[in-house]
Amino acid sequence: MNFPTFLLLLLLPSSLSKTKRQKTDSQWKARKRECEREPDLCGSIIEEERMNCVSLCISSECYSEIYSSSPLEDGEIDPDRAKQFTGCTRRVYREKKRRRERERREGK
């Protein structure tokens, strides 16, 4: 096996997992946009005050885990907890997808 082929094979799995992450991210980011825009969700709240509402709307499970003990104050940005929330949300959306796939397989 020549070096370029070896290098391609080495990089292939990481590019595949990145694609899966991008799909997961697009799902929860679409939900975030929906939460931010829809008046009956969080869209009627001014932007500086709706972060808790949007996070709760995206994933109540992750909101409870990350923010419930100390919610964000209006206009507050907490990069560490935002990163934790993103990781939690990715995990939750992946689990939902796996559960749907398993149910689909068992239903056949």
Side-chain angles (χ1 to χ4, degrees):
M1 178 182 313
N2 61 20
F3 182 73
T5 304
F6 174 74
L7 187 60
L8 178 65
L9 291 174
L10 185 65
L11 296 175
L12 187 61
S14 65
S15 65
L16 289 176
S17 64
K18 190 173 188 179
T19 302
K20 289 179 184 178
R21 183 183 319 150
Q22 288 171 345
K23 288 178 183 177
T24 301
D25 284 353
S26 68
Q27 291 172 338
W28 73 262
K29 286 179 181 180
R31 177 64 179 164
K32 179 181 179 184
R33 284 189 299 277
E34 180 183 359
C35 295
E36 291 172 335
R37 291 182 182 151
E38 294 297 322
D40 57 330
L41 297 174
C42 304
S44 61
I45 303 170
I46 64 170
E47 186 174 351
E48 292 80 15
E49 297 177 359
R50 69 175 169 211
M51 285 308 299
N52 287 314
C53 179
V54 170
S55 296
L56 184 60
C57 179
I58 293 169
S59 172
S60 59
E61 178 182 336
C62 293
Y63 180 85
S64 295
E65 184 179 318
I66 308 297
Y67 294 113
S68 66
S69 64
S70 178
L72 291 172
E73 294 180 17
D74 293 345
E76 179 184 5
I77 297 172
D78 186 337
D80 293 331
R81 290 196 294 169
K83 188 174 181 176
Q84 291 173 351
F85 184 80
T86 299
C88 178
T89 303
R90 284 178 176 148
R91 179 179 44 83
V92 166
Y93 274 73
R94 276 192 312 265
E95 290 170 358
K96 285 180 183 179
K97 181 181 177 185
R98 288 182 188 132
R99 196 172 26 245
R100 283 192 312 265
E101 289 172 350
R102 188 173 41 250
E103 289 170 357
R104 205 174 313 131
R105 280 193 308 267
E106 292 171 356
K108 288 186 177 180

